[in-house]
Amino acid sequence: MWNEFKQFAMKGNVIDLAVGVIIGAAFGKIVSSLVADIIMPLVGVIIGGVDFDFSNLAYGKLKYGQFIQTVVDFLIISFSIFLFVKFLNRFKKKEEPAAVVAKVDRTEELLAEIRDLLKEDKDFLRKNETS
């Protein structure tokens, strides 16, 4: 059971996922600050002086501004993780595909021999007819 777990844990996808989760958690606060303090105020200025803090945007109790900020956070974090994993994959040792050995079935082998013998007989008969 331990060996199975080690094989599972050492697969590339599991390691990539772990790296993504760790990087995402560590990077999350930086991105949240970037979105809340820099990007959203710029977007507010661009679209015509809307409240610079999108988290205050709401329609009644529906806080759609906070949702917009969260979506932008997610997009930036996911793209950053994508770039990081892509960067790490460049350094992974590439496995060479195993050479595929075409194993011929015994039946096919025998049929090939029969075909060759028939061809030889046919050639032999042709030569004898002309002589």
Side-chain angles (χ1 to χ4, degrees):
M1 186 162 183
W2 176 250
N3 287 334
E4 285 180 295
F5 176 72
K6 278 185 4 184
Q7 288 175 351
F8 170 75
M10 291 301 147
K11 283 185 182 176
N13 294 342
V14 174
I15 292 173
D16 290 346
L17 178 62
V19 167
V21 168
I22 292 168
I23 298 275
F27 200 58
K29 288 189 179 192
I30 294 170
V31 172
S32 294
S33 175
L34 173 72
V35 170
D37 301 331
I38 296 173
I39 294 176
M40 288 306 190
L42 288 174
V43 170
V45 169
I46 290 171
I47 63 173
V50 176
D51 187 3
F52 293 135
D53 186 8
F54 272 54
S55 62
N56 291 335
L57 293 178
Y59 182 77
K61 291 187 178 189
L62 186 65
K63 297 181 178 180
Y64 65 91
Q66 184 64 42
F67 178 73
I68 293 171
Q69 267 186 263
T70 304
V71 169
V72 173
D73 283 355
F74 170 76
L75 293 175
I76 292 173
I77 290 171
S78 59
F79 184 70
S80 301
I81 291 170
F82 166 75
L83 291 177
F84 183 74
V85 169
K86 187 173 179 175
F87 175 75
L88 285 181
N89 285 339
R90 292 175 68 196
F91 296 108
K92 274 189 177 178
K93 183 179 178 182
K94 295 190 179 193
E95 295 179 20
E96 302 219 1
V100 177
V101 178
K103 184 173 184 201
V104 179
D105 187 23
R106 181 71 179 142
T107 307
E108 290 179 30
E109 227 175 83
L110 292 172
L111 288 172
E113 287 178 20
I114 292 170
R115 179 200 61 211
D116 294 341
L117 289 172
L118 289 172
K119 185 176 180 186
E120 286 175 13
D121 282 347
K122 191 176 187 180
D123 291 341
F124 178 76
L125 290 173
R126 240 187 250 149
K127 285 181 186 177
N128 287 337
E129 284 179 359
T130 57
S131 336

